[in-house]
Amino acid sequence: MPALKTLGFHHITMVSTDAPRTLAFYGDLLGLDLVKKTVNFDDPGAYHLYFGRDGGRPGTILTFFEWAHARRGQWGVGGIHHLALGVATPEAQLKWKRRLTDAGVPVTGPIDRGYFESLYFSDPDGQILEIATAGPGYAIDEPADALGRELVVPPQDRLPDGRDEDAIARATRPTPSARVPEPVPEVTPDMRLDGIHHITGITDDIERAHDFYEEALGLRIVKKTFNQDDAETKHYFWARYDGAEVGPHSALTLFGWEGSRYVARPGAGQTHHIAFRAESPEEQAAWREHLLSLDLDVTTVKDRSYFQSIYFHAPDGLLLEIATDGPGFAVDEPAETLGADLKLPEWLEPRRRDIERKLVPLG
Ligand SMILES: [Fe+2]
Ligand SMILES: [Fe+2]
């Protein structure tokens, strides 16, 4: 076990074909804050949008590359299946069901996953999203100080054959006595989505992935179980876990498709990469040494203006990043008006007029 342990996710980067539509969905409908409007530093003709909470707190950041002509991607081995955003309570989750349904977004759930309740839908590019409740947490079927030690078989009523799908589809209220939620035209404070709850990917070798995430990133196993939608498939969860508590914004889960060659295809509606946290540039340098000592191919440190980044791959092909917490999004515009103006790094400023001409205004 390495001395280095990441605190969890820094951000997730996905692919959009239409930045205004992505802004309407994540900003207006889901109520996330646009914290930076910039361009892809490696492809300055295209937007790079950042959403987050509290000015872009690590663990709450969702970013989008706009690739207008990207073909539709497909999840599979080495890719991300879905992103779950956290909500405090099942009551608020039902308000989301109503709000999304009224907006014409097909929704499935909420489904009782045991550790949390899950509501599923997709963004306009096809990225699968989930809204997951904060609790009850991973200690419902194992002691909190011994998570992940045993392989847990889910009870029958959480598996497809034992689930009451009609009742799930009908669910609009938390208890029979509670009022059916009215239309939800505004995202109310109780509905606030608090960033990354978990990220779920697919691997072709779950034990190899286990060794990798524990050794390379210092994550720890918190649940070994089976996919509740496909009971033949193993489903493991790792997180920042000190033997007592599971840290927020840190749960990575993988479905084990052993030996599968059904490889993820990058593209629209898919996750491009996921980034974990380093608290400082010094810690990031230590991470880089650590990853090199594991014989991983790690990039040099890249300056991303709002953080600095190193990149490497998981054994199943997933692109990973370690990003520093700082300097943060207020480095080039006031904290009160984050996301208001198109921000460019110094070296692209001379090309601003050209760049702005090519970009569709976001309003
Ligand atoms: Fe999930
Ligand atoms: Fe990134």
Side-chain angles (χ1 to χ4, degrees):
M1 192 67 57
L4 286 167
K5 296 176 172 53
T6 182
L7 286 171
F9 295 115
H10 184 282
H11 65 267
I12 178 170
T13 294
M14 295 168 276
V15 178
S16 152
T17 54
D18 184 333
R21 189 175 66 176
T22 293
L23 179 59
F25 188 85
Y26 287 90
D28 300 342
L29 185 61
L30 295 185
L32 305 180
D33 306 319
L34 183 68
V35 295
K36 193 63 62 184
K37 183 161 59 176
T38 183
V39 293
N40 185 338
F41 292 1
D42 299 323
D43 175 15
Y47 278 116
H48 190 182
L49 302 182
Y50 291 76
F51 297 88
R53 291 267 87 118
D54 310 321
R57 180 162 42 88
T60 72
I61 304 165
L62 277 50
T63 103
F64 293 86
F65 292 144
E66 185 195 35
W67 291 342
H69 304 293
R71 66 173 183 165
R72 184 87 172 245
Q74 176 62 49
W75 41 265
V77 168
I80 294 302
H81 182 266
H82 66 269
L83 160 66
L85 300 169
V87 75
T89 64
E91 291 78 7
Q93 187 182 51
L94 286 172
K95 290 169 80 174
W96 277 112
K97 182 174 182 178
R98 179 65 191 259
R99 179 171 168 80
L100 292 164
T101 305
D102 287 352
V105 177
V107 170
T108 303
I111 299 176
D112 178 9
R113 298 306 196 183
Y115 316 114
F116 39 81
E117 300 255 346
S118 300
L119 192 67
Y120 299 95
F121 53 105
S122 294
D123 85 358
D125 283 295
Q127 171 78 50
I128 302 175
L129 298 172
E130 171 181 344
I131 290 177
T133 56
Y138 302 104
I140 62 156
D141 52 13
E142 300 180 280
D145 61 357
L147 296 179
R149 299 231 182 121
E150 309 285 340
L151 186 62
V152 177
V153 178
Q156 196 58 29
D157 63 358
R158 278 198 253 132
L159 297 174
D161 288 347
R163 240 176 3 229
D164 186 345
E165 299 288 354
D166 287 345
I168 290 166
R170 283 197 310 271
T172 54
R173 47 188 174 168
T175 64
S177 60
R179 213 151 59 95
V180 175
E182 301 294 324
V184 185
E186 300 288 332
V187 180
T188 51
D190 57 314
M191 295 169 71
R192 177 183 160 93
L193 298 176
D194 185 38
I196 300 169
H197 179 289
H198 63 271
I199 297 174
T200 295
I202 300 168
T203 184
D204 57 349
D205 186 336
I206 205 158
E207 295 302 333
R208 183 185 63 194
H210 173 68
D211 292 345
F212 174 79
Y213 284 104
E214 289 214 334
E215 195 175 8
L217 283 153
L219 296 173
R220 282 182 62 189
I221 189 91
V222 294
K223 194 62 63 184
K224 285 185 176 178
T225 183
F226 293 91
N227 182 350
Q228 295 180 20
D229 292 330
D230 172 11
E232 307 288 293
T233 295
K234 280 198 181 149
H235 189 190
Y236 286 10
F237 296 60
W238 300 264
R240 164 78 178 200
Y241 172 52
D242 59 7
E245 280 184 38
V246 175
H249 315 299
S250 74
L252 173 70
T253 101
L254 292 176
F255 299 136
W257 290 6
E258 298 308 301
S260 170
R261 296 199 191 166
Y262 193 86
V263 174
R265 192 177 70 213
Q270 287 297 301
T271 296
H272 186 269
H273 65 270
I274 61 176
F276 293 92
R277 289 174 65 183
E279 288 187 88
S280 64
E282 294 72 32
E283 191 192 305
Q284 185 182 55
W287 276 111
R288 191 164 183 280
E289 289 307 310
H290 168 64
L291 296 168
L292 287 170
S293 79
L294 299 174
D295 273 338
L296 292 166
D297 263 330
V298 189
T299 67
T300 54
V301 176
K302 313 278 182 194
D303 178 9
R304 299 310 191 194
S305 292
Y306 314 109
F307 42 85
Q308 57 184 51
S309 303
I310 56 174
Y311 300 87
F312 54 106
H313 286 89
D316 49 42
L318 182 64
L319 180 60
L320 302 173
E321 171 182 349
I322 291 180
T324 53
D325 284 358
F329 295 96
V331 74
D332 61 357
E333 61 185 333
E336 302 74 46
T337 57
L338 289 179
D341 296 321
L342 179 72
K343 304 309 292 184
L344 298 175
E346 200 93 316
W347 54 275
L348 282 175
E349 275 300 342
R351 293 171 56 192
R352 176 176 279 273
R353 273 180 58 191
D354 237 26
I355 289 170
E356 285 185 331
R357 221 185 354 248
K358 285 187 203 138
L359 294 171
V360 180
L362 289 179

